[in-house]
Amino acid sequence: MSKKTYSIFGAGAAGLYTAWRLLNGTSNETKNDKMLIKGDVLELYDWGKYDFSKKNPGTRESGARVCTWHYKNDKNNSYLELGGMRYSYWDGTPQGAGHRLVTKTIEELDLKKDTIEFNESADPLMSLRSKNMYISDINSNNPAPYFANDYAQDSPPDDGFTTIQSVAITATSGPTTRREWCKFYEEGKINIDMPDSSIFQKGDLLKEIGYWNLAYDMLGQEGFSYLADGNGYSSNVVNSHSAQSFNVNDEFTPGTQYKTLIKGYSSLFDSLFEEVEKLAKQKGITLNYYPNTRLRSILHTKSGIEFTTAKRETPDTLAETKFCDAAFLAMPRASIELVAQATRYADKEGLDVLNHEKVQLYLESVLMEPSYKVGMFFKSPWWRETTAGSPTYPAKLTSYFLTQEGIAKLKKEKFPANYLKSIELAKNPVILNIAFNDKGSFIAAVENAIQERLTFKEEKQILAIAELDTIGPSITDMPIRQVVYFGDNALNQKEKKVYGILASYDDIQYTTFWKALELGPDTTREIPESRDCQPLEGPKEATPVMIKMLRSQLAALHFGPEADYSDVPEPLETRYMDWSLPPFNAGYHAYKSHYDLGDVQRKIRKPSQLVPKADCDIFIVGETYSNDQAWVEGAFCTAESVLNDFFGIKPIIDEKYYPFISPE
């Protein structure tokens, strides 16, 4: 048998996961010619050059749209996340919530010891229409500054999501499992009587309704503005596929247990790359890594899959023409469309899968959502209460959050077993996986559940387990939009402390605000955006005007609308990532309405399925066409499904309760 060559285009989450599972996966079949064996070749191409290790240094930390940035680019210093930041932890139970493949991968790579909590504040600070307040402040006596229908401004803004969902699901009805949600995407419909004034009516399929259209119909202009401003993400209220948007917006409800890695989220991909190198060597498989090289065009021919590449230094010039037996496009929509465009005009013999009309239709099934993030490091955590002082509106970053993991730790510490049982069963109020704003309310809830007073020792035990130093965020309708507080998280705690914040976490309409400040008032733009690959080069240093604008808005958020920018100290370092630039052209994606997204997920993985009488081993993997868009989990799930269904590789976990993509 001649040796096989598998080529992976993209060394981000999907590409590295595909390489890893091709090497460590076991076959479901006795004889499987698709498995890589000794003598075969595995190629890994990437348009960027990630800093995987000392042996493979690069321009920025690894992870594609994950990008950890350390102060002074020293991995021992404090860090910020300027891309994807976290994952939803899965407790390993058959029906437990969370990102199962990310959690499993972290365990398989022996990184569980490096995981840390990444939970949100129970009482975030908000500044909307120049009014500063905390979520807990909002009530009928102190409403948010909106004039929404049904006095919606008397409640937190996220209640708007519940109002929209009420057309089809409630707290006690509707899909709960992943399989049920996948069915809901196709069959979900408005099942309540709507007033004659409503645009949409009972029986209308949600997949045929844009989420913005539905939200406007349900909430009115002011109610929609309150939700759009107050939830922090423009991407959560775009005109996406309504049925799927219901599920997406449930991800951000209180009780979700988020985690990350102590060295930063990019360290996951360093470990994956290292494991790919190790496994290839062990198995006698040739691993060829080609940084600064991108896929240019691709065709299915009689001789195999023929593709061309281009180099970063000469992006318009053909570098090589090569062949492989299977090609994995671990790329987002924008990058795939560039490949399709070049292939369209290649004028060569072969099957041009990407440009078939049905494939193009499915490639266009997702919205591309730009994102922009700016990080800042300071000498002090000026945004919170300290012994040295406090801003007018400090971020409330200490809360109490008890999980099953915490219960297990308390058991080991000999905390009374009957107390733990009562805490687990508590209903009024619920204690597990619920964030409490302060120590007093948490202890009161515990003592109410156990019907006893805690001793000093017991109180100290349970507080130590449950106390969290959260990341915020604070939310505003100013262009900074969200602020996330990473603080001092340096591995080396002996050096002078440095405190980091994600000073602006923007998506969609707010991204262009910062783009105009990138060059300053005395500079003319010289590089066309279509050639500006800043996301591949790494976090870029902010201009003085951008820094001053950031300080001005941070001051208004934490010191009040009349505050001066000088209330916020000069930062030590400020850098940004513009994810609207090539090669990603989006921070994340969302499905459009008027598509059967389950069929899109199943077919676009191997696009030749959409071409009559065609069968070629060109595959698309990544978060773009996944069930978990905007998450690393989505990239892992599409890759896993391709390897399971088309390469006979045994699933890494049981998918009975957790289909990796929408099943038929």
Side-chain angles (χ1 to χ4, degrees):
M1 184 185 295
S2 59
K3 69 178 182 181
K4 300 186 292 294
T5 297
Y6 289 172
S7 301
I8 300 170
F9 301 96
L16 290 173
Y17 185 89
T18 300
W20 178 57
R21 294 287 289 131
L22 281 169
L23 292 166
N24 86 334
T26 56
S27 178
N28 258 332
E29 306 160 17
T30 305
K31 184 179 179 181
N32 186 349
D33 294 338
K34 293 276 191 176
M35 299 292 290
L36 287 174
I37 60 173
K38 185 175 181 179
D40 287 341
V41 178
L42 181 61
E43 298 182 330
L44 186 61
Y45 293 84
D46 203 72
W47 196 219
K49 193 174 191 300
Y50 297 121
D51 189 17
F52 286 122
S53 62
K54 289 182 180 179
K55 178 185 170 185
N56 288 286
T59 60
R60 50 151 286 197
E61 292 203 40
S62 60
R65 278 170 285 160
V66 173
C67 182
T68 303
W69 169 48
H70 289 82
Y71 177 58
K72 292 187 175 179
N73 291 321
D74 183 337
K75 291 189 178 184
N76 288 313
N77 288 340
S78 290
Y79 70 84
L80 299 168
E81 300 290 358
L82 292 179
M85 300 188 291
R86 58 188 177 175
Y87 67 98
S88 177
Y89 173 71
W90 173 47
D91 64 8
T93 59
Q95 298 191 53
H99 292 159
R100 299 193 181 192
L101 291 195
V102 173
T103 303
K104 180 66 173 177
T105 300
I106 284 171
E107 291 174 358
E108 291 284 315
L109 296 174
D110 194 29
L111 294 174
K112 189 173 181 180
K113 62 184 183 303
D114 294 332
T115 60
I116 53 173
E117 305 294 335
F118 193 98
N119 282 292
E120 297 186 350
S121 170
D123 193 18
L125 170 64
M126 307 185 79
S127 175
L128 302 176
R129 294 183 175 175
S130 298
K131 181 176 180 178
N132 298 60
M133 56 200 160
Y134 297 94
I135 285 284
S136 61
D137 293 336
I138 300 172
N139 54 47
S140 58
N141 294 320
N142 185 38
Y146 295 81
F147 296 95
N149 296 343
D150 301 318
Y151 302 99
Q153 67 272 13
D154 296 351
S155 303
D158 284 4
D159 284 10
F161 289 132
T162 304
T163 301
I164 299 165
Q165 290 185 6
S166 69
V167 302
I169 60 178
T170 67
T172 56
S173 70
T176 55
T177 69
R178 191 170 173 99
R179 284 187 182 275
E180 288 170 351
W181 272 110
C182 290
K183 186 178 180 182
F184 182 79
Y185 300 153
E186 177 61 14
E187 301 176 0
K189 59 182 66 175
I190 295 175
N191 58 22
I192 63 170
D193 292 321
M194 304 285 279
D196 289 340
S197 58
S198 288
I199 308 302
F200 305 105
Q201 296 296 320
K202 186 176 183 178
D204 289 349
L205 283 168
L206 291 167
K207 70 175 184 179
E208 313 296 2
I209 301 174
Y211 190 71
W212 184 3
N213 299 147
L214 180 61
Y216 193 98
D217 194 27
M218 292 294 294
L219 304 176
Q221 176 60 42
E222 278 289 278
F224 178 80
S225 294
Y226 181 36
L227 174 62
D229 293 346
N231 94 93
Y233 296 93
S234 298
S235 55
N236 282 354
V237 292
V238 292
N239 229 9
S240 50
H241 188 292
S242 282
Q244 194 222 14
S245 295
F246 285 10
N247 191 15
V248 168
N249 291 327
D250 276 350
E251 289 175 345
F252 301 96
T253 55
T256 304
Q257 188 178 2
Y258 293 112
K259 289 194 174 187
T260 189
L261 296 171
I262 196 168
K263 297 177 183 178
Y265 207 11
S266 284
S267 64
L268 169 59
F269 307 101
D270 294 343
S271 294
L272 264 178
F273 185 84
E274 182 182 342
E275 189 70 8
V276 166
E277 285 188 308
K278 185 177 79 174
L279 288 171
K281 186 175 181 180
Q282 287 176 356
K283 293 175 177 286
I285 294 165
T286 301
L287 174 67
N288 294 324
Y289 171 50
Y290 301 105
N292 296 319
T293 308
R294 75 169 176 90
L295 177 64
R296 184 171 176 268
S297 65
I298 191 164
L299 288 168
H300 177 68
T301 72
K302 293 179 181 179
S303 302
I305 296 168
E306 179 181 341
F307 64 91
T308 63
T309 62
K311 295 290 187 181
R312 282 281 295 281
E313 58 268 24
T314 53
D316 296 325
T317 304
L318 185 151
E320 283 187 288
T321 299
K322 301 178 73 174
F323 290 86
C324 66
D325 297 283
F328 300 85
L329 278 55
M331 303 151 62
R333 174 186 163 181
S335 297
I336 293 171
E337 287 178 340
L338 283 177
V339 175
Q341 187 179 57
T343 307
R344 191 179 306 147
Y345 301 111
D347 198 25
K348 286 186 176 183
E349 289 294 323
L351 175 62
D352 180 3
V353 175
L354 295 182
N355 282 300
H356 186 274
E357 185 173 1
K358 192 65 178 288
V359 176
Q360 283 287 306
L361 175 68
Y362 276 26
L363 286 174
E364 294 174 2
S365 66
V366 295
L367 298 162
M368 292 190 290
E369 302 176 318
S371 177
Y372 201 108
K373 297 187 177 183
V374 191
M376 306 176 91
F377 287 108
F378 294 90
K379 292 180 181 178
S380 67
W382 55 265
W383 49 85
R384 64 186 307 171
E385 290 186 45
T386 66
T387 54
S390 170
T392 312
Y393 302 97
K396 294 183 179 180
L397 301 180
T398 301
S399 63
Y400 297 86
F401 189 84
L402 189 61
T403 64
Q404 283 292 350
E405 274 192 310
I407 293 288
K409 290 176 183 177
L410 286 167
K411 282 181 181 177
K412 289 181 180 179
E413 293 183 7
K414 309 299 183 185
F415 197 82
N418 59 321
Y419 287 4
L420 293 176
K421 191 67 176 176
S422 296
I423 290 169
E424 289 181 280
L425 296 174
K427 298 295 183 186
N428 189 24
V430 173
I431 296 175
L432 282 189
N433 299 316
I434 296 295
F436 289 82
N437 295 343
D438 58 86
K439 179 170 64 177
S441 60
F442 174 66
I443 293 298
V446 170
E447 292 182 338
N448 180 66
I450 66 175
Q451 291 295 295
E452 296 283 353
R453 291 285 185 190
L454 294 172
T455 65
F456 177 77
K457 179 183 177 182
E458 290 163 351
E459 183 173 318
K460 188 175 180 181
Q461 277 181 295
I462 199 167
L463 287 175
I465 294 294
E467 184 173 319
L468 287 175
D469 198 18
T470 72
I471 53 87
S474 293
I475 297 169
T476 177
D477 57 356
M478 291 180 284
I480 53 172
R481 283 299 274 153
Q482 292 191 73
V483 181
V484 182
Y485 309 89
F486 286 83
D488 168 39
N489 53 17
L491 285 176
N492 184 357
Q493 288 289 311
K494 294 180 180 179
E495 295 294 324
K496 193 171 183 179
K497 290 185 178 296
V498 172
Y499 302 85
I501 60 171
L502 185 56
S504 179
Y505 181 171
D506 273 316
D507 57 10
I508 306 182
Q509 70 186 87
Y510 295 87
T511 60
T512 55
F513 181 90
W514 302 106
K515 189 180 288 290
L517 295 170
E518 290 175 357
L519 300 177
D522 301 315
T523 308
T524 300
R525 192 174 293 278
E526 296 178 355
I527 301 173
E529 287 188 15
S530 59
R531 299 291 182 86
D532 187 353
C533 293
Q534 181 263 318
L536 295 181
E537 295 159 7
K540 193 167 183 179
E541 190 172 347
T543 55
V545 289
M546 184 186 289
I547 293 170
K548 190 170 183 179
M549 184 68 78
L550 288 161
R551 291 171 69 192
S552 175
Q553 293 180 30
L554 288 168
L557 174 64
H558 285 288
F559 294 90
E562 303 301 322
D564 188 77
Y565 82 95
S566 60
D567 289 328
V568 173
E570 185 74 32
L572 297 169
E573 198 171 4
T574 304
R575 291 182 182 268
Y576 65 87
M577 290 290 277
D578 182 357
W579 298 105
S580 68
L581 293 172
F584 308 109
N585 294 82
Y588 16 84
H589 302 84
Y591 287 105
K592 297 176 182 176
S593 56
H594 305 290
Y595 277 92
D596 177 346
L597 66 83
D599 197 57
V600 170
Q601 288 177 14
R602 293 187 293 273
K603 300 289 178 54
I604 202 67
R605 298 177 301 161
K606 187 179 183 181
S608 63
Q609 295 177 113
L610 296 164
V611 182
K613 299 179 181 179
D615 182 21
C616 61
D617 285 341
I618 296 174
F619 304 92
I620 294 174
V621 294
E623 64 81 35
T624 307
Y625 303 99
S626 74
N627 252 332
D628 307 273
Q629 291 165 315
W631 296 99
V632 171
E633 182 75 0
F636 285 7
C637 281
T638 55
E640 183 69 25
S641 75
V642 163
L643 298 175
N644 299 163
D645 295 349
F646 301 109
F647 288 79
I649 291 176
K650 184 179 179 181
I652 192 170
I653 60 170
D654 186 352
E655 61 173 332
K656 178 180 179 181
Y657 299 104
Y658 192 82
F660 303 131
I661 62 167
S662 291
E664 291 192 71

